[in-house]
Amino acid sequence: MWTRDKGPSPGYVKQCRQLTEARAAFTWLRGGVQIVQQQALRDFDRAVKNFFRGTHQRPTWRKAEVHEGFRIVGPEASKVVKLNRKWAAVNVPKVGWVQSGFPEPFLTRSPTG
């Protein structure tokens, strides 16, 4: 755990290295998707930097079942199949196809339709 006497807290790159070491040591952590875990570290790093710049409030813990979500980047992110106006299927790595509802602003529409 970080304390003031240990110097500056680790940044995103160092935390990613620590994540890789932890994934090698713990099976339960290896069961998760590394991209999602790294994006959570990146989000936290950005939140801390914004807090110390004075542009945002202090980062808070995420609450269970409130505004839950994650993002997938890279080639995995393009595996989305639109089923109809309000539903789509998303291929989540290590989970499979998940059907999900999306609010209207997030749906992509053709310019002619």
Side-chain angles (χ1 to χ4, degrees), residues 56-97:
H56 291 75
Q57 293 181 356
R58 181 181 180 152
T60 59
W61 293 99
R62 291 183 178 175
K63 294 175 178 66
E65 299 181 14
V66 177
H67 302 293
E68 289 184 332
F70 59 90
R71 73 177 178 270
I72 301 170
V73 296
E76 299 292 326
S78 62
K79 296 181 181 175
V80 178
V81 176
K82 189 172 173 182
L83 302 174
N84 59 31
R85 283 187 324 142
K86 295 189 176 190
W87 291 93
V90 181
N91 189 6
V92 178
K94 294 190 177 181
V95 174
W97 288 95

Side-chain angles (χ1 to χ4, degrees), residues 3-5 18 29 32 35 52 59 64 66 69 72 74-75 77-78 81 86 89-90 95 98-99:
T3 57
R4 290 183 186 267
D5 60 330
Q18 292 171 347
L29 194 57
I35 295 170
F52 284 112
V66 177
I72 301 170
S78 62
V81 176
K86 295 189 176 190
V90 181
V95 174
V98 178
Q99 188 173 342

